[in-house]
Amino acid sequence: QVQLVESGGGLAQPGGSLRLSCAASGFTFSSYAMSWARQAPGKGIEWVSGIYKDGSDTYYANSVKGRFTISRDNAKNTVYLQMNSLKPEDTALYYCAKGYPTVVDGTVNFASWGQGTQVTVSS
């Protein structure tokens, strides 16, 4: 079955950086786009970033554009999210997800998610 295991979260200071990783298994990784999403306390899921199956196309939410970079290594079945210039409003549970999301009535959904890794940005 599909398994997505995130790592790399933690506490960072404003202006700092973190790099999230997601190890995927149970499917042909190189055949699927991958995404990162997040959920801040009391808020809905936000699609943060996505990357096409061969890395040729990427998507970023306006809230992270210019600060976050998504990448993937198909040989290692891993997708990354480099987060720079972190802000307190980046504090959230970050999820790795298979594919791009569907949005129904404003709710973001993915076919498969990981368990998430917590990112906290605070001084």
Side-chain angles (χ1 to χ4, degrees):
Q1 69 276 24
V2 174
Q3 282 199 310
L4 300 167
V5 180
E6 303 94 337
S7 61
L11 176 64
Q13 291 192 336
S17 298
L18 286 173
R19 189 193 195 205
L20 306 184
S21 298
C22 171
S25 62
F27 64 102
T28 304
F29 182 76
S30 59
S31 295
Y32 289 88
M34 295 295 294
S35 293
W36 287 95
R38 67 186 181 186
Q39 186 169 29
K43 296 190 176 182
I45 299 289
E46 179 186 17
W47 183 30
V48 172
S49 185
I51 186 166
Y52 192 58
K53 55 186 178 180
D54 63 359
S56 61
D57 193 24
T58 56
Y59 161 84
Y60 296 97
N62 287 334
S63 56
V64 307
K65 201 171 292 184
R67 301 187 298 120
F68 290 10
T69 303
I70 191 170
S71 61
R72 65 190 294 159
D73 185 338
N74 285 348
K76 295 182 178 180
N77 288 0
T78 301
V79 60
Y80 305 96
L81 187 67
Q82 177 67 45
M83 306 186 297
N84 298 330
S85 302
L86 284 164
K87 304 176 180 180
E89 51 264 42
D90 294 319
T91 295
L93 188 60
Y94 282 73
Y95 297 96
C96 172
K98 178 185 170 189
Y100 294 141
T102 57
V103 181
V104 179
D105 294 332
T107 300
V108 174
N109 281 291
F110 292 91
S112 301
W113 310 70
Q115 292 299 306
T117 185
Q118 179 67 39
V119 170
T120 302
V121 183
S122 175
S123 56

